[in-house]
Amino acid sequence: MKSRFAIDRDVALIGGGGHGRVLLSVADLLGGWVVGVSDPKLVEGGGPRGLPVLTDDQLRERCLPDQVLLMNGVGSAGVADARAELFWRWRARGYRFTPLVHPSAVVADNAEIGEGAQIMAGAVVQNDAKIGLNCLVNTRASVDHDCVLDDTVHLAPGVTLSG
C-alpha cells in the first residue's frame, strides 16, 4: 500500500546542513527524486551526496513552481526565524513545500499535516491533532489527540504534548 505521504514529484532541498541531510534520507524512503540543493554555505558542486548545488536564482530558473516541491532543510537550533522566513519567502514566489513523514513515524489517519510539515523518525501524531505549515515534529516527539501546532512550530526530539 502506498503511503499517503509518498512524494510524487521532483523535490529540491533548501539548506544542506545536518537537518537537510536527514531530509534527503527521508525523501529517499518516500520515493522523492532530489534535483539539487540550494545553500549559500555550500560551494558549487559540493552538495551532500554529490547533488548539484544551486543558487536561489539557478533554482528558480531550472525548477518552476509547478514542476518541483521544496524541502526546508534549515533546522531550528537557534535559527527558528530563519527557517520560517525561508518558508514564507519561497511560498510568496509560488513554490510549495512537500510534507515529509518518516516511514517509522505513526500518524493517525485523521490527523492534519500542513504543507511543509516534517514528522521525523519515531514521532507519533495522534487522532485529531493538527500540525501547521512548516512545523517540525522532531525525532521521537509525540503529539497527542486534539493538540494544535500553529505554523512554523518546532518540537525538539523527545518532546511530548499531552492531549
Side-chain angles (χ1 to χ4, degrees):
M1 181 170 117
K2 187 174 181 179
S3 165
R4 70 175 169 145
F5 300 108
I7 300 173
D8 60 358
R9 292 170 52 186
D10 288 350
V11 291
L13 175 65
I14 302 179
H19 184 65
R21 292 191 313 273
V22 171
L23 296 184
L24 289 175
S25 296
V26 177
D28 285 347
L29 293 168
L30 296 174
W33 179 258
V34 181
V35 297
V37 179
S38 179
D39 187 328
K41 294 179 183 173
L42 299 176
V43 296
E44 189 79 29
R49 298 188 182 179
L51 288 167
V53 176
L54 307 171
T55 66
D56 283 0
D57 289 339
Q58 289 171 326
L59 178 60
R60 288 195 315 252
E61 289 170 9
R62 296 179 191 181
C63 303
L64 299 176
D66 61 342
Q67 297 173 335
V68 68
L69 293 169
L70 301 180
M71 299 184 297
N72 190 346
V74 174
S76 292
V79 291
D81 290 344
R83 179 179 166 78
E85 188 278 328
L86 179 146
F87 178 81
W88 295 117
R89 179 170 30 101
W90 282 92
R91 279 191 93 230
R93 294 173 176 166
Y95 289 85
R96 294 296 173 251
F97 288 76
T98 187
L100 292 169
V101 178
H102 192 282
S104 71
V106 177
V107 178
D109 288 342
N110 66 350
E112 294 180 25
I113 306 298
E115 177 188 331
Q118 299 168 353
I119 314 299
M120 305 311 287
V124 176
V125 179
Q126 294 286 16
N127 292 315
D128 299 310
K130 293 177 178 53
I131 309 298
L133 305 175
N134 195 47
C135 285
L136 174 51
V137 179
N138 221 322
T139 308
R140 293 183 338 271
S142 179
V143 180
D144 219 323
H145 65 86
D146 302 304
C147 288
V148 177
L149 298 184
D150 290 335
D151 297 341
T152 70
V153 168
H154 173 211
L155 294 184
V159 165
T160 298
L161 297 181
S162 180

